[in-house]
Amino acid sequence: MTPQNSYPLEPSADEMRRLVDAAMDRIVAHVQSLPNQPAHDLDGAEELARELAEPMPERGADFEELLDLLFERAVPKSFNTAAPSYLAYIPGGGLFHSAVAGFIADAVNRYTGVWLAAPALAQLESNVLRWFCDIVGYPADARGILASGGSLANFSAVVTARREKLPDDFLKGTIYASDQVHHSVEKAALLAGFPPENVHTIPSDERFRLRLDLLERSIGEDRAKGGIPFLVVVSAGTTNTGAVDDLEGAADLAQRHGLWLHADAAYGGFFMLTERGRAVMRGLELADSVTLDPHKGLFVPYGSGALLVRDGSALLRAHALEAEYLPEMRDGAEFVDFCQLSPELSRPFRGLKVWLPFKLVGVQAFRDSLNEKLDLTMWATERLREIEGIRIVAEPQLSVVAFRLVKDGLDDEATNELNRELLERINRRKRVYLTATTVRGEFLLRICVLSVRTHMDRMEMCIEDIRESVAELL
């Protein structure tokens, strides 16, 4: 009998336990220390990255030494996106239940792209997508896919809309979105074969929402020039300011003009679990398709996006192909082959990252956490108003507030420079991490509350750092 160690790619039971236990010791210590870790730390990161460049190893290394490298050197030199102090960009990821699910999914290594390969596991993923459709308010014949994130979800949405609304020669098709839309929409259009000039940017209003009057005018002008308007993309939570477009108004306009309406709700969509979120996003259920990011609003690790399509057969028409080496595809409504609904054939078992935490703790835990984030954002906004010189530029519609410091006698450029310095002073403390954006020429600071671990103590710390930094500058 061949000794087990003759096959280093097949560790014994004892070796598997040793590896997992050693890794778990580091992971638990890391997660427990997150509240005390800096919000970001890139000091020396560039030098470390150069140092870590290496040739392919011919022999193995000690596991403890590799864990030292990861947890003591590589991991800390980064944006600490799983920390409670991370209030930058759109926080996401870090739910430990989902990390366990990812480990299980990778360890059993089942393939769910084709229903026949793992019928029960494919059903669990179908359950997740049905839950998402219920959250949005979609009918029973809606379908969806899990993708790596919102960017690929938006890409499949554009391809589906193109297939449904345009002829094979589609280069006269025009796409509309506001000047606040996520850049992945423009990238999706380019990848779907449209020239850049076919994506028409419509100005937003004083609340950073798509102006429907200007949209309607642009549609008419394009038709008069021989173009074929076919797709409107609305935002249900922009990255810049968290703005939510008039979804009901956009749906009415799209229906009147025969256009496909896609809602990019990657950031805001899961706030539909809350009463306030449903009020802000009234009309989301009227969109022909919706992008969601579980790695944002459901806090699961990065690599989890979703596309939902109200008419599920449209998703099938846009993506389905046959091949001799594949088993017979399911053609009924009960079961689904995900390879027929998305660009992917080889794909990971993504559904478990949502299914397991939903089953373990129930949806109410997510609803409560999202309500907490809304409360914290409103609390922070009211505290910002109390700081001399702070002007709220974008009132929170969900969990983003954008603001800037103003000072008498400064022109626009000097004011922008003042706010760059304010951001630097806040982040230099490394207790919280904020990022900025530039909207209509104004440099704005943002607070985005969406980390599962962010609670009132961290928001108090954030306001304290802002207040002290403003005092230093004024």
Side-chain angles (χ1 to χ4, degrees):
M1 185 174 180
T2 305
Q4 183 67 37
N5 59 13
S6 296
Y7 300 100
L9 299 182
E10 302 174 52
S12 66
D14 288 342
E15 180 65 7
M16 285 190 282
R17 291 188 181 91
R18 186 186 73 82
L19 292 171
V20 172
D21 288 346
M24 187 57 65
D25 288 343
R26 305 297 185 105
I27 291 168
V28 171
H30 171 78
V31 172
Q32 287 184 321
S33 69
L34 280 172
N36 300 318
Q37 293 180 22
H40 67 111
D41 182 8
L42 295 179
D43 296 341
E46 185 174 334
E47 293 78 6
L48 176 61
R50 289 195 182 96
E51 179 187 336
L52 292 179
E54 61 180 340
M56 182 165 35
E58 287 294 335
R59 295 287 184 266
D62 179 74
F63 189 46
E64 289 291 341
E65 292 180 1
L66 298 178
L67 291 175
D68 287 343
L69 170 63
L70 289 171
F71 283 92
E72 295 179 15
R73 302 185 66 201
V75 170
K77 295 300 177 182
S78 60
F79 293 168
N80 200 347
T81 55
S85 50
Y86 189 81
L87 305 171
Y89 300 107
I90 306 291
L95 192 66
F96 187 75
H97 312 71
S98 294
V100 174
F103 175 68
I104 294 171
D106 289 345
V108 301
N109 196 36
R110 293 299 189 267
Y111 173 63
T112 55
V114 172
W115 179 86
L116 185 62
L121 300 182
Q123 183 59 49
L124 298 187
E125 193 158 312
S126 293
N127 291 351
V128 167
L129 288 159
R130 183 63 255 167
W131 299 340
F132 289 177
C133 289
D134 291 343
I135 291 169
V136 168
Y138 267 3
D141 58 351
R143 285 185 174 178
I145 56 171
L146 295 179
S148 61
S151 294
L152 284 186
N154 283 337
F155 170 68
S156 273
V158 172
V159 170
T160 303
R162 187 192 72 190
R163 168 65 177 76
E164 291 298 295
K165 294 294 184 179
L166 294 176
D168 291 340
D169 181 8
F170 57 79
L171 289 182
K172 291 184 179 180
T174 52
I175 301 167
Y176 305 87
S178 87
D179 54 14
Q180 301 299 304
V181 78
H182 195 272
H183 84 286
S184 65
V185 171
E186 182 179 5
K187 182 181 287 189
L190 295 176
L191 293 175
F194 293 96
E197 59 269 21
N198 287 35
V199 182
H200 294 191
T201 300
I202 307 299
S204 52
D205 63 16
E206 69 282 354
R207 296 180 63 193
F208 307 102
R209 301 178 305 172
L210 173 67
R211 283 191 56 180
L212 297 181
D213 58 333
L214 298 182
L215 170 60
E216 189 143 32
R217 182 190 305 173
S218 183
I219 290 170
E221 291 173 350
D222 290 335
R223 280 203 170 117
K225 295 175 185 176
I228 308 177
F230 81 101
L231 171 61
V232 175
V233 180
V234 288
S235 299
T238 63
T239 299
N240 275 340
T241 65
V244 178
D245 291 332
D246 177 358
L247 304 179
E248 287 185 316
D252 176 70
L253 185 153
Q255 185 177 33
R256 285 190 286 106
H257 288 277
L259 310 184
W260 184 280
L261 181 67
H262 174 63
D264 183 353
Y267 156 53
F270 286 110
F271 282 101
M272 288 285 283
L273 285 168
T274 71
E275 185 176 344
R276 283 172 287 179
R278 288 192 299 274
V280 170
M281 289 183 285
R282 187 177 295 110
L284 184 63
E285 73 283 356
L286 302 174
D288 294 291
S289 54
V290 175
T291 286
L292 300 170
D293 266 0
H295 64 217
K296 293 185 174 73
L298 292 184
F299 318 116
V300 308
Y302 291 117
S304 181
L307 173 66
L308 311 179
V309 178
R310 185 149 48 90
D311 175 7
S313 60
L315 199 58
L316 188 68
R317 287 190 291 271
H319 294 89
L321 282 176
E322 301 292 336
E324 292 83 357
Y325 47 80
L326 292 175
E328 183 178 355
M329 298 289 107
R330 313 297 295 186
D331 58 3
E334 184 178 11
F335 300 123
V336 60
D337 292 283
F338 289 115
C339 68
Q340 297 290 80
L341 304 181
S342 84
E344 295 180 294
L345 180 58
S346 297
R347 59 191 295 280
F349 177 29
R350 295 189 178 100
L352 202 64
K353 289 184 178 181
V354 175
W355 182 88
L356 185 61
F358 264 42
K359 293 289 287 185
L360 274 173
V361 302
V363 71
Q364 185 62 44
F366 291 90
R367 184 177 292 113
D368 291 344
S369 186
L370 289 169
N371 271 316
E372 179 197 29
K373 309 317 167 193
L374 295 173
D375 291 341
L376 293 173
T377 307
M378 292 306 301
W379 180 89
T381 303
E382 295 308 312
R383 300 294 78 75
L384 287 170
R385 293 189 210 281
E386 298 168 357
I387 301 175
E388 181 183 359
I390 291 292
R391 176 169 68 90
I392 306 298
V393 178
E395 297 282 346
Q397 298 180 46
L398 295 169
S399 69
V400 173
V401 57
F403 62 97
R404 72 197 240 117
L405 178 62
V406 294
K407 187 177 180 180
D408 291 342
L410 296 184
D411 61 17
D412 290 343
E413 184 51 45
T415 301
N416 284 345
E417 193 58 39
L418 177 69
N419 281 273
R420 291 187 184 95
E421 176 63 21
L422 174 60
L423 180 65
E424 170 64 24
R425 286 175 181 262
I426 294 167
N427 288 339
R428 192 183 301 158
R429 290 166 161 82
K430 293 190 177 180
R431 300 205 305 168
V432 298
Y433 185 50
L434 307 185
T435 48
T437 187
T438 300
V439 180
R440 298 169 186 164
E442 292 188 336
F443 185 87
L444 309 178
L445 281 69
R446 301 165 62 261
I447 296 174
C448 183
V449 188
L450 203 61
S451 170
V452 69
R453 298 181 177 90
T454 299
H455 307 298
M456 179 58 79
D457 61 332
R458 201 58 51 148
M459 298 310 299
E460 291 172 342
M461 188 181 295
C462 174
I463 295 300
E464 181 180 299
D465 286 359
I466 294 173
R467 184 181 290 113
E468 290 181 359
S469 297
V470 168
E472 292 170 2
L473 286 171
L474 296 183

